């Protein structure tokens, strides 16, 4: 066994003290990073100021949120309680309403609390959760809208084979795959965004935690994450959008070949309402996520984000219910049932 002299032992002592100091410094640095990124969280600058005009706009947004909340809840209840609405189209519509309901509840309440209280803060964990839910729901809705276009194509172009091609099992697989891919996309982006170090400014120039706005605060190279984000958006936006374009091109051809003017009018009415929702949703989402970084402006992003976080969830139940005789019939039937119940 090797023996140590007193001198050699004394030479080892300064090295041990230096190592201890380095560990202490590293712990302090880690503590500073944790304090800045996870404990303090972020400050959401929001979209509204305290001016009279912005107070009016905030009231309008809250009104839209209330309509979206009530409309989607009512539509889900009607679809699940009325047997006449137990068809593939209305099943997909109930899933769309559920996604819209979760989306507005993920964004608007926190924005309202921050605006009314004046604090504007969000914790690091809260920001990650908001990103996860937001990306999952937007991705799921984008895929579902594409698959709903395929459903309309089968219903109009192949009506005799529709019950077989769109069986209950197929409908569940379509809805399940939309949710699964959306949730997977949300988890990937949430983990990647929350793994970056945020040691600079804590001010997010947005009214919620959106990935492009958050990446500007990262004190690390985000080029790899930008590539990942672009690839996810191509899959979750451009792929379903191409399905929609193809489906509606075929639908238009099938509608023009119809001999019955009434059938042609009904088919165009159904598809035009779907196309209105699709245009708002995909137009806003592509503007935010598929635009080159040098053309991005926070003021533009915040306004456009209102379209697919608040406005589209309000329009979906209105478009699909007010222009649909089956839904309006189910609503009248439900109101009559409530009247009879109140009289007894």
């Amino acid at each position: 066994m090797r023996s140590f002299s007193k001198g050699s032992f004394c030479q080892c002592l300064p090295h041990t003290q230096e190592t201890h100091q380095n560990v202490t410094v590293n712990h302090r640095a880690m503590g500073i990073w944790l304090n800045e990124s996870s404990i303090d969280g972020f400050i959401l600058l929001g979209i509204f100021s305290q001016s009279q005009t912005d107070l009016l706009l905030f009231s309008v947004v809250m009104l839209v949120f209330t309509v979206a909340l009530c409309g989607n809840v009512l539509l889900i209840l009607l679809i699940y309680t009325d047997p006449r609405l137990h068809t593939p189209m209305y099943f997909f519509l109930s899933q769309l309403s559920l996604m819209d309901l979760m989306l507005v509840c993920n964004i608007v309440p926190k924005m309202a609390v921050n605006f009314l209280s004046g604090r504007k803060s969000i914790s690091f964990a809260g920001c990650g959760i908001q990103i996860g839910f937001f990306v999952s729901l937007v991705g799921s809705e984008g895929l579902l809208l594409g698959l709903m276009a395929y459903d309309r194509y089968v219903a109009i172009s192949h009506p005799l084979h529709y019950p077989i091609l769109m069986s209950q099992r197929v409908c569940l697989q379509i809805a399940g795959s939309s949710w699964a891919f959306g949730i997977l996309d949300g988890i990937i982006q949430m983990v990647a965004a929350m793994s970056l170090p945020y040691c600079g400014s804590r001010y997010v120039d947005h009214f919620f935690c959106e990935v492009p706005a958050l990446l500007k605060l990262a004190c690390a190279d985000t080029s790899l994450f930008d590539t990942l984000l672009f690839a996810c958006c191509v899959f979750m936006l451009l792929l379903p959008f191409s399905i929609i374009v193809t489906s509606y091109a075929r639908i238009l051809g099938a509608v023009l070949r119809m001999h019955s003017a009434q059938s042609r009018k009904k088919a165009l009415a159904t598809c035009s309402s779907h196309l209105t929702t699709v245009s708002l949703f995909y137009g806003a989402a592509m503007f935010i996520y598929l635009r080159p970084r040098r053309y991005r402006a926070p003021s533009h992003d915040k306004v456009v984000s209102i379209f697919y976080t608040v406005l589209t969830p309000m329009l979906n139940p209105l478009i699909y219910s007010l222009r649909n005789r089956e839904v309006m019939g189910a609503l009248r039937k439900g109101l009559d049932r409530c009247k009879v119940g109140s009289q007894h």
Side-chain angles (χ1 to χ4, degrees):
M1 181 180 290
R2 184 179 175 184
S3 61
F4 290 91
S5 65
K6 183 178 179 181
S8 61
F9 177 76
C10 292
Q11 289 175 356
C12 293
L13 187 57
H15 176 72
T16 304
Q17 291 174 343
E18 183 182 352
T19 303
H20 177 72
Q21 290 174 353
N22 289 336
V23 171
T24 304
V25 169
N26 289 335
H27 283 184
R28 286 176 180 172
M30 182 64 71
I32 291 171
W33 184 86
L34 287 172
N35 286 335
E36 290 182 349
S37 62
S38 62
I39 296 176
D40 290 338
F42 302 100
I43 304 296
L44 299 173
L45 296 181
I47 192 173
F48 302 115
S49 64
Q50 296 296 327
S51 66
Q52 292 296 323
T53 304
D54 281 355
L55 285 172
L56 178 62
L57 291 175
F58 173 76
S59 301
V60 171
V61 169
M62 293 310 298
L63 177 63
V64 171
F65 167 70
T66 304
V67 174
L69 198 66
C70 297
N72 283 293
V73 169
L74 180 61
L75 193 56
I76 292 171
L77 290 175
L78 288 175
I79 290 171
Y80 279 97
T81 55
D82 196 308
R84 293 175 297 178
L85 302 181
H86 292 175
T87 63
M89 185 182 80
Y90 292 111
F91 170 71
F92 294 140
L93 185 55
S94 69
Q95 297 300 300
L96 183 66
S97 292
L98 181 60
M99 292 172 185
D100 284 336
L101 187 63
M102 295 174 67
L103 182 60
V104 293
C105 290
N106 180 49
I107 302 296
V108 179
K110 179 61 179 174
M111 179 192 73
V113 168
N114 284 356
F115 176 76
L116 295 173
S117 65
R119 285 197 223 108
K120 298 186 177 183
S121 61
I122 186 169
S123 66
F124 188 78
C127 187
I129 292 170
Q130 195 173 62
I131 287 174
F133 272 102
F134 171 75
V135 175
S136 298
L137 294 167
V138 170
S140 298
E141 185 165 338
L143 291 173
L144 186 64
L145 286 171
L147 294 170
M148 285 175 70
Y150 172 74
D151 169 71
R152 291 297 84 208
Y153 161 70
V154 174
I156 293 173
S157 302
H158 305 284
L160 297 178
H161 298 95
Y162 183 74
I164 299 172
L165 294 174
M166 299 301 295
S167 63
Q168 184 178 8
R169 180 182 176 183
V170 173
C171 292
L172 290 173
Q173 289 175 342
I174 287 175
S177 62
S178 299
W179 281 103
F181 281 111
I183 291 171
L184 180 62
D185 185 28
I187 292 173
I188 291 173
Q189 292 198 36
M190 177 185 68
V191 171
M194 293 297 101
S195 299
L196 293 171
Y198 299 97
C199 49
S201 173
R202 294 167 47 234
Y203 292 91
V204 180
D205 197 1
H206 216 301
F207 60 91
F208 69 99
C209 279
E210 193 171 28
V211 173
L214 202 63
L215 288 182
K216 297 175 182 178
L217 308 183
C219 52
D221 183 18
T222 62
S223 56
L224 180 62
F225 185 82
D226 286 333
T227 305
L228 174 66
L229 180 63
F230 183 80
C232 288
C233 291
V234 167
F235 177 74
M236 304 300 287
L237 292 175
L238 286 184
L239 178 62
F241 185 72
S242 63
I243 294 174
I244 290 172
V245 171
T246 304
S247 297
Y248 277 103
R250 291 178 174 272
I251 287 172
L252 183 61
V255 168
L256 293 176
R257 290 193 297 269
M258 288 181 177
H259 301 291
S260 171
Q262 186 177 1
S263 299
R264 194 183 305 123
K265 184 179 178 181
K266 183 180 179 181
L268 288 174
T270 303
C271 296
S272 62
S273 61
H274 188 198
L275 278 174
T276 303
T277 306
V278 164
S279 301
L280 282 172
F281 178 84
Y282 281 100
M286 288 181 181
F287 180 84
I288 296 293
Y289 287 98
L290 297 181
R291 211 174 16 145
R293 176 179 280 191
R294 62 181 177 273
Y295 296 119
R296 292 176 185 170
S299 57
H300 297 160
D301 290 351
K302 286 188 282 189
V303 173
V304 174
S305 295
I306 288 286
F307 280 92
Y308 65 95
T309 57
V310 184
L311 191 61
T312 302
M314 180 204 70
L315 290 176
N316 280 340
L318 294 180
I319 289 173
Y320 281 102
S321 60
L322 295 179
R323 300 190 61 183
N324 194 300
R325 286 181 297 178
E326 287 88 352
V327 175
M328 293 305 295
L331 179 59
R332 282 191 292 268
K333 182 180 176 182
L335 292 174
D336 292 339
R337 194 181 304 151
C338 291
K339 288 180 182 178
V340 172
S342 62
Q343 289 174 358
H344 291 290

